[in-house]
């Protein structure tokens, strides 16, 4: 195997990051606005939306490993993963517009429409995003360089998310001119155009360097079997699910919190922007932090801080907006390094799997990781919908004290519990920096000292 511990140029890092700016024109819209759009705009009940999000994302989550298997077996002169950044654009743009189209049909018909269009949206997102995520795993094998690359990626992601969070409400109003549905359709069309340009730029500026062994002939079932025997990957799978529940619970309930608990719906954009800028800052300092603190230890400390700050959020007086914004931003800063750290660790588990078995399935590794994240997001969305439904939530009306208490718990104590579990779980991740250095050396020199390394 050739030496792939190369340093990446700034152009390639920025170009790769453009892909996640594009992705977040969709992901962040769904994360922040879709739940309240379905309840307060589409007219669906909170409980039915919760069930729909869970069912559709579970269906979509199973498509991730399938897309991983397909892209792992793709072979073109442009590589395995880069071509999907181009051919996946059109379905993504179409799906984004259809999700925010409200047909003039019965309530049951609207629910069916929501199911169908949301499933289409998630499948289109998977088609382009799984190969995009896997691309990072074959651009370089240097662990620190991967951390830097993923930091660039998520600076891009959080930048795109910040744009969405702050400008979307105003953009919907301006483009719709009083017609909310039209405003959403035109907004998603505009985001689609931007995404197309950014994905194209990402395609043009990146390069695939790490190749699977030439004689590799494993099946999809073998790929899955390898993953299930990959203990560090299994820890990351569970960890990603739990952390995504922490993030989604706070992000999706934040709009309800501002609108009903605080009574300041106009602050939703600023509130979310504060959080996104804090995430960006956290992602930006990740490469600096990992020079002094090992990735596993750093992630554990950060999740403990998220647990403490989220618990504190429950006790904040609702009239102290400055303190609410400060604590909300602090939570975002602590969560910012999570994505660069975890995705860099996923790339390490792909190398570990190749060292352990002699087989490489980069896209399957990242696709199954996406499965975990989507399942976590689905469970969080369902939890919000079901909890609000059980507590008597009624759209566009003053909420009862019980309903407001539920919204506050979704913003504080409940995600704090998940963050604490995540901090404990990180302890079981075994790929230290020293061990990865030894594995990389073995791969680069076509050595596989299984007995010596496995004993550690």
């Amino acid at each position: 195997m050739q030496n792939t511990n190369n340093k990446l140029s700034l152009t390639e890092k920025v170009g790769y990051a453009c892909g996640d700016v594009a992705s977040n024109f969709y992901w962040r819209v769904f994360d922040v606005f879709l739940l309240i759009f379905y309840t307060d705009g589409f007219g669906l009940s909170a409980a039915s939306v919760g069930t729909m999000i869970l069912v559709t994302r579970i269906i979509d989550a199973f498509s991730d490993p399938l897309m991983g298997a397909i892209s792992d077996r793709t072979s073109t002169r442009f590589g395995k993963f880069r071509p999907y950044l181009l051919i996946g654009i059109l379905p993504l743009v179409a799906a984004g517009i259809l999700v925010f189209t409200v047909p003039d049909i019965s309530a049951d018909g609207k629910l069916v429409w929501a199911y169908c269009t949301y499933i289409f949206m998630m499948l289109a997102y998977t088609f382009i995003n799984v190969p995009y995520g896997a691309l990072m795993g074959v651009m370089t094998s240097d662990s620190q360089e991967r951390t830097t690359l993923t930091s660039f990626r998520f600076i891009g992601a959080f930048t795109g998310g910040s744009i969405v969070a702050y400008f979307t409400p105003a953009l919907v109003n301006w483009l719709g001119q009083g017609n909310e549905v039209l405003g959403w359709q035109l907004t998603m069309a505009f985001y689609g155009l931007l995404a197309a340009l950014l994905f194209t730029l990402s395609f043009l500026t990146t390069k695939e360097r790490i190749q699977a062994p030439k004689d590799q002939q494993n099946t999809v079932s073998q790929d899955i079997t390898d993953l299930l025997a990959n203990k560090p990957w299994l820890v990351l799978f569970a960890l990603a699910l739990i952390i995504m529940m922490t993030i989604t619970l706070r992000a999706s309930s934040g709009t309800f919190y501002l609108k009903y608990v605080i009574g300041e719906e106009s602050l939703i954009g600023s509130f979310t922007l504060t959080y996104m800028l804090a995430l960006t800052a956290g992602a930006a300092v990740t490469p600096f932090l990992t020079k002094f603190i090992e990735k596993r230890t750093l992630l554990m400390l950060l999740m403990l801080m998220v647990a403490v700050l989220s618990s504190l959020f429950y006790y904040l007086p609702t009239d102290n907006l400055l303190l609410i914004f400060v604590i909300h931003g602090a939570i975002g800063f602590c969560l910012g390094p999570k994505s660069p750290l975890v995705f860099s660790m996923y790339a390490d588990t792909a190398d570990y799997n190749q060292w352990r078995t002699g087989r490489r399935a980069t896209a399957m590794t990242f696709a199954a990781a996406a499965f975990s994240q989507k399942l976590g997001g689905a469970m969080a969305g369902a939890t919000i919908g079901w909890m609000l439904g059980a507590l008597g939530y009624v759209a566009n009306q003053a909420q009862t004290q019980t309903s407001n208490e539920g919204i506050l718990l979704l913003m504080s104590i409940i995600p704090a519990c998940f963050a604490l579990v995540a901090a404990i779980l990180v302890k079981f991740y075994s790929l230290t920096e020293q061990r990865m250095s030894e594995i990389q050396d073995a791969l680069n020199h076509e050595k596989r000292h299984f007995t010596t390394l496995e004993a550690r």
Side-chain angles (χ1 to χ4, degrees):
M1 183 177 179
Q2 63 178 341
N3 192 334
T4 55
N5 289 321
N6 51 294
K7 302 298 182 181
L8 301 178
S9 68
L10 179 62
T11 298
E12 192 166 9
K13 291 173 183 175
V14 173
Y16 182 69
C18 286
D20 231 357
V21 177
S23 294
N24 272 267
F25 285 133
Y26 294 90
W27 186 265
R28 194 57 57 181
V29 164
F30 305 141
D31 198 32
V32 177
F33 298 106
L34 190 62
L35 185 60
I36 199 167
F37 173 80
Y38 276 141
T39 56
D40 293 18
F42 216 87
L44 302 176
S45 70
S48 65
V49 172
T51 301
M52 185 206 71
I53 289 176
L54 180 61
V55 171
T56 54
R57 286 203 178 179
I58 287 176
I59 293 172
D60 168 57
F62 280 99
S63 71
D64 288 321
L66 176 60
M67 190 62 219
I70 292 172
S71 53
D72 267 329
R73 287 157 178 78
T74 298
S75 180
T76 75
R77 67 188 182 96
F78 300 112
K80 291 180 177 293
F81 310 128
R82 290 171 61 236
Y84 291 98
L85 303 185
L86 298 182
I87 61 180
I89 290 173
L90 188 58
L92 189 69
V93 174
I97 296 171
L98 289 174
V99 164
F100 288 94
T101 298
V102 182
D104 186 16
I105 53 180
S106 66
D108 290 341
K110 286 184 178 180
L111 184 60
V112 172
W113 174 267
Y115 267 89
C116 293
T117 55
Y118 193 48
I119 290 173
F120 176 39
M121 179 67 247
M122 289 292 98
L123 291 177
Y125 185 86
T126 294
F127 186 76
I128 198 170
N129 205 258
V130 166
Y132 169 76
L135 177 59
M136 184 271 291
V138 296
M139 290 171 64
T140 179
S141 60
D142 184 277
S143 183
Q144 181 63 26
E145 195 71 2
R146 281 173 171 171
T147 301
T148 303
L149 179 61
T150 51
S151 294
F152 269 83
R153 173 188 176 177
F154 286 100
I155 289 172
F158 300 145
T159 299
S162 299
I163 294 171
V164 167
Y166 188 75
F167 290 106
T168 296
L171 199 57
V172 169
N173 290 334
W174 180 62
L175 292 175
Q177 294 295 305
N179 185 333
E180 183 181 9
V181 173
L182 177 62
W184 273 110
Q185 290 174 322
L186 293 176
T187 297
M188 296 310 296
F190 175 65
Y191 285 164
L193 176 61
L194 294 179
L197 295 173
L198 290 166
F199 273 125
T200 301
L201 184 60
S202 189
F203 168 84
L204 293 173
T205 55
T206 55
K207 182 179 180 180
E208 298 183 25
R209 297 179 177 86
I210 301 175
Q211 305 296 326
K214 293 182 179 180
D215 57 348
Q216 180 171 305
Q217 296 292 333
N218 51 299
T219 62
V220 175
S221 61
Q222 183 65 59
D223 288 349
I224 295 174
T225 299
D226 288 346
L227 281 180
L228 294 178
N230 188 330
K231 293 180 181 178
W233 180 87
L234 289 174
V235 172
L236 290 183
F237 180 90
L239 187 65
L241 187 151
I242 293 169
I243 295 178
M244 184 52 64
M245 290 195 69
T246 304
I247 294 172
T248 305
L249 282 169
R250 299 198 80 256
S252 295
S253 59
T255 51
F256 293 91
Y257 176 77
L258 265 293
K259 184 174 181 178
Y260 297 110
V261 177
I262 302 299
E264 295 286 352
E265 186 176 3
S266 61
L267 293 178
I268 289 176
S270 300
F271 188 71
T272 310
L273 178 62
T274 299
Y275 180 69
M276 296 305 304
L277 291 177
L279 286 172
T280 305
V285 301
T286 304
F288 174 77
L289 294 175
T290 55
K291 290 181 179 180
F292 304 98
I293 308 174
E294 190 177 51
K295 286 186 282 190
R296 180 180 63 173
T297 303
L298 177 59
L299 187 57
M300 187 186 309
L301 292 173
L302 290 169
M303 294 314 297
L304 284 172
M305 292 175 67
V306 170
V308 172
L309 290 170
S310 295
S311 297
L312 178 63
F313 199 90
Y314 178 81
Y315 299 99
L316 299 181
T318 56
D319 59 350
N320 193 334
L321 292 176
L322 176 60
L323 187 57
I324 288 172
F325 271 66
V326 168
I327 299 299
H328 189 56
I331 293 172
F333 183 81
C334 292
L335 285 171
K338 165 265 171 188
S339 294
L341 291 173
V342 170
F343 275 81
S344 174
M345 292 158 79
Y346 272 126
D348 289 345
T349 65
D351 291 343
Y352 170 77
N353 196 60
Q354 183 178 350
W355 165 80
R356 189 178 63 85
T357 66
R359 295 181 295 272
R360 187 176 189 89
T362 307
M364 180 63 79
T365 301
F366 281 87
F371 172 97
S372 174
Q373 287 194 303
K374 287 180 179 178
L375 185 59
M379 293 171 65
T383 298
I384 294 172
W386 292 338
M387 188 168 177
L388 291 180
L391 295 175
Y393 170 81
V394 180
N396 299 311
Q397 294 186 24
Q399 303 302 310
T400 64
Q401 183 177 351
T402 302
S403 181
N404 277 342
E405 177 72 9
I407 294 171
L408 181 57
L409 287 172
L410 289 166
M411 281 289 291
S412 55
I413 302 299
I414 296 176
C417 292
F418 284 112
L420 181 60
V421 172
I424 296 171
L425 189 60
V426 179
K427 294 181 63 177
F428 296 95
Y429 181 78
S430 61
L431 295 182
T432 62
E433 297 294 334
Q434 180 181 353
R435 194 175 190 196
M436 282 308 305
S437 178
E438 293 171 333
I439 289 172
Q440 288 297 342
D441 183 66
L443 289 175
N444 288 334
H445 295 88
E446 297 184 340
K447 298 175 183 177
R448 296 168 65 195
H449 301 302
F450 296 105
T451 304
T452 302
L453 289 174
E454 282 286 7
R456 299 183 181 178

